[in-house]
């Protein structure tokens, strides 16, 4: 008997019929002797629908003013899901109880719409499990110290599930989703993409941070920090497939590097179109400038990704960085109103039509010339590189978004990803 956490995404929760299937699958695990905690997302499309209603009432630009209320609103999608799922489980003959985040409680900080989990009280959940109940906990939402409802950012149910698994020291966290695992890249862009049987936690972190929408990045960080055994698998298999087959399917996130060493140098190509580039031109090249610019941006709770500073000419330099597209307007406003005046420039430029493409692999640590191979593949396609950033296990480039698919295909081919065995 093991304590297992299941997470079901919006597609799996998309209709009462699908919820019934989830309940049957969970029941199968319970009848095999396991203790189950289930963390569902909102029914597919629901979070978008709710946020759309808010947008009808107030333009996005004023977003800052009603962040607390956005969380109050958006969190309701998950509340519907836990209620329905607990009912479906009871209809399957199981004992089940549903909880909203504040009832557990899942304590978070107060950064509305992107709150971080601080702690999860396991007492109530444990007592229910001991009493033989299936516990169904809302994904995505929590509560801050002041009793305000918070949400964890889009895709945050993954993080809820992993955090619950960590708090309960669960044997495994299974993320059921509408893809059957982690791929070398998005199969919609490269039909030859292959599923990876295992992927290291660090690679997964890079892929998640760069747009592989399979898992929310914070969930991967959480899994790494607490070493939560994590598997991504399909929710479209028949609910009654044998448990041992189900437990071997999908992609396992591993923590053992050695297992991976035999594998490809590059494991995957990640890409995203979620970022925008901002440049501040003609700033004085002297100590404190980067802090001046990025300190103000960080203070506004805006995350920065790729950063470059050009060499200086006549004591002046240009400074560029990328932010999430949702933060683009806010960043430009901030630079114009607060930062530029202190630096003696008013030249702010921006571009939202960029994308970031990355090659990822822990094998890159022990191999040289990987980045050069990437740049060659891109140059052969005539693709101009605007920014570059590297880490031990990845190289990313920022390019014009219209070349994204071309770049991803070229890199997938250049690193033979269509060919190796997973
Ligand atoms: N329902 C939330 C969203 O759509 C959280 C999640 O599904 O993970 O972003
Ligand atoms: Mg998701």
């Amino acid at each position: 008997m093991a304590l297992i956490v299941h997470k079901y995404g919006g597609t799996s929760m998309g209709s009462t019929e699908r919820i019934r299937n989830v309940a049957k699958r969970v029941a199968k695990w319970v009848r095999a002797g396991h203790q189950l905690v289930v963390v569902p997302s909102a029914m597919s499309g629901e979070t978008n629908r709710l946020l759309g209603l808010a947008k009808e009432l107030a333009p996005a630009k004023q977003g800052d003013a009603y962040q607390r209320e956005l969380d109050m609103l958006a969190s309701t999608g998950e509340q519907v899901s836990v209620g329905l799922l607990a009912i479906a489980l009871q209809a399957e003959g199981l004992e089940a109880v549903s909880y909203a985040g504040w009832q557990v409680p899942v304590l978070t900080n107060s950064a509305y719409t992107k709150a971080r989990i601080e702690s999860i009280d396991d007492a109530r959940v444990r007592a229910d499990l001991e009493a033989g109940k299936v516990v169904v906990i809302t994904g995505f939402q929590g509560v801050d110290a002041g009793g305000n409802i918070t949400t964890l950012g889009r895709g945050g149910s993954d993080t809820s599930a992993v955090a619950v698994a960590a708090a309960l020291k669960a044997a495994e966290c299974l993320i059921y989703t509408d893809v059957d695992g982690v791929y070398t890249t998005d199969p919609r862009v490269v039909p030859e993409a292959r599923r990876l049987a295992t992927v290291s936690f660090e690679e997964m972190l890079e892929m998640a941070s760069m747009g592989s929408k399979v898992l929310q990045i914070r969930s991967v960080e959480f899994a790494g920090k607490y070493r939560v055994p994590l598997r991504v698998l399909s929710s479209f298999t028949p609910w009654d497939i044998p448990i041992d087959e189900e437990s071997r399917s999908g992609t396992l996130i591993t923590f053992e590097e050695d297992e991976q060493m035999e594998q490809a140098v590059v494991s995957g190509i990640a890409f995203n179109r979620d970022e925008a580039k901002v440049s501040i031109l003609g700033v004085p090249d002297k100590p404190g400038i980067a802090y001046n610019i990025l300190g103000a941006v960080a203070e506004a709770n805006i995350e920065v990704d790729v950063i470059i500073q050009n060499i200086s000419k006549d004591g002046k330099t240009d400074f560029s960085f990328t932010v999430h597209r949702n933060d683009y307007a806010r960043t430009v406003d901030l630079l114009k109103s607060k930062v530029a005046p202190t630096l003696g420039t008013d030249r702010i430029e921006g571009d939202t039509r960029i994308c970031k493409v990355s090659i990822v692999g822990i094998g890159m640590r022990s191999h040289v010339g990987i980045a050069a191979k990437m740049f060659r593949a891109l140059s052969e396609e005539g693709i101009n590189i605007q920014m570059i950033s590297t880490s031990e296990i990845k190289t990313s480039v920022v390019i014009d978004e219209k070349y994204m698919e071309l770049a991803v295909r070229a890199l997938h081919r250049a690193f033979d990803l269509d060919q190796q065995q997973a």
Side-chain angles (χ1 to χ4, degrees):
M1 186 185 82
L3 199 169
I4 314 270
V5 174
H6 281 192
K7 185 262 169 178
Y8 291 92
T11 314
S12 325
M13 296 294 295
S15 64
T16 47
E17 197 189 322
R18 289 192 176 169
I19 293 174
R20 188 177 293 126
N21 269 310
V22 168
K24 287 186 194 295
R25 193 184 294 273
V26 170
K28 173 184 72 181
W29 282 77
V30 172
R31 295 199 171 111
H34 299 298
Q35 292 184 315
L36 264 283
V37 176
V38 188
V39 179
S41 291
M43 298 172 81
S44 59
E46 183 61 9
T47 310
N48 285 342
R49 187 185 74 84
L50 293 166
L51 295 173
L53 293 175
K55 238 185 205 156
E56 281 178 29
L57 295 171
K61 244 193 152 168
Q62 294 169 3
D64 271 356
Y66 58 88
Q67 305 260 310
R68 178 186 179 280
E69 273 47 61
L70 278 180
D71 279 0
M72 174 63 88
L73 170 72
S75 64
T76 61
E78 271 69 12
Q79 193 164 328
V80 169
S81 283
V82 291
L84 289 174
L85 183 54
I87 289 168
L89 287 164
Q90 291 181 16
E92 285 302 315
L94 299 179
E95 282 198 66
V97 57
S98 61
Y99 290 120
W102 63 269
Q103 292 175 305
V104 175
V106 176
L107 207 65
T108 71
N109 65 13
S110 305
Y112 297 119
T113 75
K114 46 183 154 187
R116 283 184 181 266
I117 295 178
E118 288 179 344
S119 65
I120 294 181
D121 188 341
D122 65 345
R124 198 167 182 177
V125 178
R126 267 192 205 287
D128 288 326
L129 290 171
E130 291 312 315
K133 293 180 192 164
V134 177
V135 182
V136 188
I137 303 176
T138 48
F140 187 50
Q141 53 161 276
V143 64
D144 75 359
N148 304 293
I149 289 176
T150 55
T151 68
L152 309 180
R154 298 309 304 269
S157 295
D158 295 333
T159 302
S160 305
V162 174
V164 164
L168 293 166
K169 301 193 176 55
E172 203 167 27
C173 181
L174 302 180
I175 309 270
Y176 290 88
T177 177
D178 49 7
V179 293
D180 65 353
V182 179
Y183 276 69
T184 49
T185 195
D186 188 336
R188 283 169 302 190
V189 174
V190 183
E192 296 79 20
R194 288 174 307 102
R195 180 173 58 82
L196 298 161
T198 63
V199 66
S200 80
F201 144 72
E202 289 161 289
E203 289 169 332
M204 193 61 220
L205 197 58
E206 294 292 359
M207 291 195 205
S209 72
M210 284 170 312
S212 156
K213 291 286 183 306
V214 177
L215 286 175
Q216 197 205 31
I217 178 166
R218 281 190 192 158
S219 72
V220 184
E221 288 168 0
F222 231 101
K225 193 162 166 199
Y226 297 98
R227 300 247 149 180
V228 177
L230 196 61
R231 182 179 289 276
V232 177
L233 69 173
S234 172
S235 61
F236 292 137
T237 55
W239 67 265
D240 56 353
I241 68 165
I243 284 190
D244 60 334
E245 189 182 322
E246 192 169 344
S247 337
R248 276 183 277 108
S249 66
T251 300
L252 178 71
I253 319 294
T254 63
F255 299 99
E256 297 304 324
E257 284 198 12
D258 308 341
E259 277 179 38
Q260 297 279 322
M261 280 320 197
E262 303 296 318
Q263 281 206 352
V265 176
V266 170
S267 300
I269 314 292
F271 55 87
N272 84 50
R273 249 187 290 234
D274 298 341
E275 293 184 23
K277 185 170 80 170
V278 187
S279 301
I280 172 159
L281 309 179
V283 298
D285 189 13
K286 60 175 199 214
I289 290 303
Y291 171 66
N292 221 306
I293 298 170
L294 297 178
V297 173
E299 211 156 281
N301 237 323
I302 296 168
E303 273 179 49
V304 169
D305 184 25
V306 184
I307 304 168
I308 54 166
Q309 185 187 327
N310 283 352
I311 51 163
S312 64
K313 235 197 275 159
D314 309 323
K316 301 263 184 192
T317 182
D318 303 334
F319 197 91
S320 301
F321 56 95
T322 62
V323 295
H324 196 282
R325 272 190 206 181
N326 293 345
D327 290 327
Y328 174 72
R330 222 149 56 88
T331 308
V332 170
D333 283 352
L334 177 80
L335 291 183
K336 279 195 177 142
S337 63
K338 300 237 170 71
V339 179
T342 69
L343 298 175
T345 177
D346 56 3
R347 293 164 61 207
I348 312 286
E349 285 179 2
D351 189 354
T352 55
R353 286 170 318 233
I354 55 153
C355 72
K356 192 172 73 166
V357 177
S358 313
I359 55 173
V360 178
I362 55 175
M364 287 168 70
R365 275 188 192 134
S366 43
H367 289 78
V368 292
I370 303 302
K373 189 169 176 182
M374 176 187 201
F375 303 150
R376 187 176 68 214
L378 294 173
S379 86
E380 279 169 6
E381 299 293 342
I383 299 171
N384 184 43
I385 299 170
Q386 302 178 15
M387 299 167 103
I388 300 171
S389 89
T390 63
S391 80
E392 260 198 307
I393 66 161
K394 71 131 203 277
T395 302
S396 307
V397 295
V398 171
I399 60 175
D400 188 320
E401 103 181 330
K402 70 176 179 244
Y403 299 124
M404 189 182 80
E405 306 204 338
L406 180 62
V408 172
R409 285 197 202 106
L411 293 170
H412 202 266
R413 220 178 311 115
F415 289 99
D416 294 328
L417 288 174
D418 351 13
Q419 275 149 47
Q420 288 130 7
Q421 295 309 306

